[in-house]
């Protein structure tokens, strides 16, 4: 499964909880650095999402008092008593056990209404034998149930300490609760209605986001809730244990991820076990790849002139936890200098695991203040195993480290994570951090490294790397070509002086079979008869902003399509035939041949799935409407899947207001739609019949099915949905 490339965040939490934990943990670490320093950490903030944050600021000498307020004319009152700056606070007496609060003072006349989200800030004196820290502030996130004569009844959904920037100040909430006793305690209430975009300082934005993430329940608890009653199709957006802000921020973290990440299983019976790399004991493994077909195409082009047996090299890259949130979105680059550039400008790699891991700031200990409080993984460090073009002579430096200036000459393939595990094991524990001692690689073909540039694992151990994970290194030979039997029946490695052409000569049938499997597709661009499809006139609501946004998307996709092999891309748009930029016809093709959908298509004589994308009045602020035109799919209730509704619309949270972000590119939308249709969970997509007769889905039935799906999941529909059904 690809995070950010799936049908919904709920689906991804259920199916890949550790990957979601990983993404949230990386984000939290990046926010920690940005909030506590002048540089580093998160590079891009969620903008244009209307993300509401509490009126709580970090005490910081860099922040002038005028910047504490979103509206300086309205807000004039703050208090700095609780280790934070509270804007427009109401003074209250708070009953921890009964979740009630009595308003004592309301100098700014803040109105609190039923259903409103608030935060109660309480500071408690340390009554333990250890007097450090002398006091601790707890934030209670709550929804107002009722407000009768300034007496509030609250539904408290989360409690946590204030995000600190020193691990010495971390105290468990249950410990603080014991200090309180049975009495009411003084506190302050602030509302949850500042827009993140309006905060003037980036470190204050980062601090506000840390507070929201600290209020999240663990991924395991989210998963337990979602699976508690699958017949009701529960959704996080409906759960009373999460604020709308926390759901929206979690959605942004997942949907803005542009990489393919999936955990490599430790289970002996799991198919993904064959992807496991041996020689890195004690580290969790994740398959990792950037999701850009354009970069993949450039990487493959760079491999074409390489005539060596091993077209690629392996190398490690270590980086601090606070950098990985950006790396998995933007890839490795050298725009920031963190450790100097003694060997030139470029991305630094090492063939020694122990050396690279030093740059992850892992020395056996970690500053726990940067760990997401509810993480099950509790990540200490992360390091990636990367594939490089095997041309060290063209690197900026090859010794003692690889320094690569061409970013597209590198691809992250694996992510290794050092996990502390849960601090307190509980019933919702869902991770395994123990690497099996027994190494069984029977039947798994090995990626053979270039003997001149061998990369090693922990403590200098030899790596066993499965060839499945590195298809780019393919040299025209199948798995059996890497070795031959000598007269004694022992394996004999082909010497490095046998080049690619020699192997093709020695093993022509195997080379041909590999080439056909890798490079050919039965799809032929430009053969679709567009006259049989809906043709809409440009809409009257076309604005300059939307036309500019669509023009940029079209130019970007044209470039990607022109530089990427069709079978690698998996989608096709006939740009020359676009007469209305608000309506696109897209063909999805070259599906994995073992998918039931691909088998059905072959029987029906079809080489593509035809989609229509209609851009609504509010684009790019509202999502496009995406539907299948042909062929018809087997409905879900009859055993179909692939997230295609009975009317042909796509059942994806991404394509509703609940999951859409203006930051989404159409490249990512096409990737996500293709991934959703290819998904076999909970059941694979199937065609309605394998004897194809042209019976297209209508726009009316697609819109109606889209409405039903959104209602069932609790997703918010675009206000301009009516535009999709006009001029059908």
């Amino acid at each position: 499964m690809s995070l950010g490339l799936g049908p919904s965040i709920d689906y991804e939490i259920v199916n890949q909880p550790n990957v979601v934990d990983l993404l949230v943990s990386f984000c939290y670490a990046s926010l920690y650095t940005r909030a506590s320093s002048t540089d580093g950490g998160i590079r891009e903030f969620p903008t244009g999402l209307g993300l509401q944050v509490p009126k709580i600021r970090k005490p910081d000498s860099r922040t002038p008092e005028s910047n504490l307020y979103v509206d300086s004319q309205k807000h004039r009152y703050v208090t700095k008593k609780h280790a934070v700056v509270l804007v427009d606070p109401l003074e209250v007496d708070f009953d921890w056990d009964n979740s009630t609060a009595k308003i004592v003072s309301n100098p700014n006349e803040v109105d609190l209404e039923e259903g409103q989200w608030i935060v109660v800030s309480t500071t408690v004196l340390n009554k333990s034998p250890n007097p450090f820290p002398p006091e601790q502030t707890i934030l209670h996130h709550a929804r107002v149930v009722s407000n009768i004569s300034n007496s509030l009844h609250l539904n408290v959904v989360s409690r946590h300490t204030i995000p600190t920037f020193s691990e010495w100040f971390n105290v468990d909430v249950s410990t603080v609760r014991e200090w309180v006793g049975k009495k009411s305690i003084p506190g302050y209430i602030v509302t949850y209605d500042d827009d993140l975009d309006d905060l003037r300082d980036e470190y204050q934005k980062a601090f506000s986001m840390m507070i929201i993430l600290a209020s999240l329940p663990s991924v395991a608890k989210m998963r337990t809730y979602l699976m508690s009653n699958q017949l009701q199709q529960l959704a996080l957006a409906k759960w009373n244990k999460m604020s709308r802000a926390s759901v929206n921020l979690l959605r942004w973290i997942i949907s803005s991820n542009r990489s393919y990440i999936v955990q490599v299983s430790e289970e002996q019976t799991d198919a993904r076990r064959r992807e496991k790399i041996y020689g890195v004991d004690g580290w969790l493994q994740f398959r990792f790849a950037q999701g850009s077909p354009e970069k993949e195409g450039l990487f493959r082009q760079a491999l074409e002139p390489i005539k060596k047996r091993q077209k690629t090299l392996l190398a490690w890259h270590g980086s601090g936890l606070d950098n990985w949130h950006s790396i998995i979105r933007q890839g490795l680059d050298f725009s920031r200098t963190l450790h100097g550039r003694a060997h030139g400008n470029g991305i630094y790699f090492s063939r020694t695991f122990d050396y690279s891991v030093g740059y992850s700031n892992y020395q056996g200990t970690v500053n726990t203040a940067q760990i997401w409080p509810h993480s099950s993984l509790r990540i200490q460090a992360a390091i990636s195993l990367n594939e490089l073009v095997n041309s060290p002579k063209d690197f900026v430096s090859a010794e003692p480290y690889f320094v690569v200036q061409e970013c597209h000459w590198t691809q992250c393939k694996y992510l290794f994570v050092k996990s502390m595990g849960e601090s307190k094991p509980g019933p919702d524990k869902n991770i395994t951090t123990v690497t099996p001692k027994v190494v069984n690689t029977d039947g798994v073909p090995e990626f053979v490294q270039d003997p001149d540039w061998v990369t090693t694992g922990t403590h200098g151990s030899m790596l066993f790397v499965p060839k499945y994970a590195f298809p780019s290194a393919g040299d025209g030979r199948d798995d059996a070509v890497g070795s031959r039997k000598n007269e004694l029946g022992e394996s004999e490695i082909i010497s490095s002086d046998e080049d690619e052409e020699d192997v093709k000569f020695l093993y022509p049938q195997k080379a041909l079979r590999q080439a056909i499997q890798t490079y050919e597709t039965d799809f032929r661009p430009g053969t679709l008869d567009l006259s049989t499809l809906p043709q809409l006139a440009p809409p009257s609501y076309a604005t300059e902003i939307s036309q500019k946004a669509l023009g940029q998307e079209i130019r970007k996709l044209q470039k990607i399509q022109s530089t990427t092999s069709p079978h690698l891309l998996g989608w096709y748009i006939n740009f020359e035939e676009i007469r209305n930029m608000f309506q696109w016809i897209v063909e999805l093709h070259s599906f994995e041949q073992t998918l039931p959908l691909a088998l059905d298509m072959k029987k029906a004589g079809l080489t593509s799935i035809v989609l229509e994308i209609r851009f609504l009045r509010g684009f790019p602020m509202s999502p496009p409407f995406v539907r299948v035109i042909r062929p018809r799919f087997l409905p879900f209730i009859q055993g179909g899947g692939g997230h295609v509704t009975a009317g042909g619309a796509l059942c994806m949270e991404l394509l509703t207001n609940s999951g859409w972000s203006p930051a989404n590119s159409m490249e990512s939308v096409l990737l996500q739609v293709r991934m959703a249709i290819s998904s076999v969970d909970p059941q694979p997509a199937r065609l309605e019949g394998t004897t194809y007769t042209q019976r297209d889905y209508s726009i009316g039935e697609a819109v109606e099915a889209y409405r039903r799906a959104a209602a069932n999941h609790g997703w918010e529909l675009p206000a301009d949905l009516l535009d999709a059904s006009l001029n059908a």
Side-chain angles (χ1 to χ4, degrees), residues 11 156 251 286 421 536 601 606 671:
Y11 173 90
V156 178
R251 179 178 291 115
F286 296 83
L536 305 182
M601 290 173 64
L606 300 173
L671 285 169

Side-chain angles (χ1 to χ4, degrees), residues 56-225:
I56 301 176
R57 307 288 185 264
K58 174 179 179 285
D60 199 303
S61 59
R62 296 171 292 176
T63 305
E65 185 167 344
S66 60
N67 280 13
L68 295 174
Y69 318 106
V70 168
D71 183 348
S72 60
Q73 298 301 315
K74 179 179 178 182
H75 304 296
R76 291 293 185 186
Y77 177 67
V78 299
T79 181
K80 302 180 181 179
K81 292 183 178 180
H82 284 188
V84 288
V85 178
L86 305 175
V87 180
D88 297 341
L90 292 77
E91 189 174 353
V92 297
D93 283 330
F94 179 64
D95 187 326
W96 190 314
D97 287 337
N98 296 311
S99 298
T100 59
K102 178 70 175 179
I103 298 176
V104 176
S105 174
N106 186 2
N108 226 47
E109 299 181 350
V110 176
D111 293 326
L112 296 181
E113 300 176 351
E114 182 179 330
Q116 187 170 0
W117 284 97
I118 62 170
V119 175
V120 183
S121 174
T122 58
T123 295
V124 182
L125 294 176
N126 186 343
K127 297 182 180 180
S128 68
N130 180 7
F132 188 82
E135 61 182 19
Q136 188 70 46
T137 297
I138 302 295
L139 300 182
H140 313 255
H141 296 252
R143 186 198 296 267
V144 177
V145 177
S146 64
N147 181 0
I148 302 175
S149 300
N150 287 334
S151 293
L152 305 176
H153 180 208
L154 307 174
N155 174 28
V156 178
V157 301
S158 176
R159 293 183 172 94
H160 62 87
T161 57
I162 291 176
T164 64
F165 302 94
S166 171
E167 57 186 322
W168 303 110
F169 287 90
N170 284 334
V171 179
D172 189 82
V173 172
S174 60
T175 300
V176 178
R177 176 66 191 87
E178 294 175 0
W179 300 347
V180 173
K182 297 294 183 180
K183 64 182 185 302
S184 296
I185 55 176
Y188 292 90
I189 285 178
V190 292
T191 54
Y192 231 107
D193 52 8
D194 272 353
D195 193 311
L196 184 73
D197 292 351
D198 294 334
L199 300 186
R200 295 175 176 85
D201 300 311
E202 288 191 348
Y203 46 86
Q204 293 292 0
K205 289 184 178 182
F207 183 67
S208 293
M209 291 170 66
M210 289 179 72
I211 289 176
I212 294 178
L213 290 185
S215 75
L216 281 176
S218 69
V219 176
K221 289 181 178 178
M222 296 184 220
R223 186 173 187 268
T224 299
Y225 165 74

Side-chain angles (χ1 to χ4, degrees), residues 541-591:
Y541 56 74
T543 65
E544 182 178 350
I545 294 177
S546 58
Q547 291 182 69
K548 182 178 180 181
L550 285 172
Q552 291 175 342
E553 291 289 348
I554 289 173
R555 287 191 294 273
K556 179 181 177 182
L557 292 176
Q558 280 181 304
K559 181 178 180 181
I560 293 172
Q561 184 169 283
S562 66
T563 57
T564 308
S565 299
H567 78 283
L568 294 175
L569 196 57
W571 54 261
Y572 173 76
I573 300 174
N574 191 339
F575 292 103
E576 293 182 359
E577 295 298 328
I578 291 181
R579 300 291 181 263
N580 171 11
M581 65 166 51
F582 286 81
Q583 181 200 25
W584 297 358
I585 300 298
V586 182
E587 292 180 86
L588 301 183
H589 59 83
S590 305
F591 292 96

Side-chain angles (χ1 to χ4, degrees), residues 606-621:
L606 300 173
T607 61
S608 69
I609 304 296
V610 181
L611 305 181
E612 180 188 32
I613 301 179
R614 298 191 182 190
F615 296 92
L616 309 182
R617 186 184 305 269
F619 185 83
M621 302 307 295

Side-chain angles (χ1 to χ4, degrees), residues 338-356:
L338 300 178
H339 302 287
R341 294 179 178 173
H343 297 274
N345 288 332
I347 308 171
Y348 279 62
F349 300 92
S350 173
R351 290 178 287 125
T352 304
F353 178 93
D354 296 335
Y355 185 85
S356 284

Side-chain angles (χ1 to χ4, degrees), residues 277-306:
I277 291 178
Y278 293 92
V280 197
D281 292 349
W283 291 68
L284 294 176
Q285 300 185 21
F286 296 83
R287 286 291 303 277
F288 177 88
Q290 298 296 133
S292 169
E294 181 179 13
K295 185 177 180 182
E296 173 75 19
L298 292 173
F299 184 76
R300 288 184 176 275
Q301 287 179 20
L303 293 180
E304 290 177 1
I306 306 299

Side-chain angles (χ1 to χ4, degrees), residues 9 31 33 47 133 155 301 330 361 402 425 610 655 676 681 720:
I9 62 170
L31 294 170
T33 297
T47 58
N155 174 28
Q301 287 179 20
Q330 301 168 2
N361 300 325
F402 291 146
V610 181
L655 300 175
D681 294 323
D720 47 7

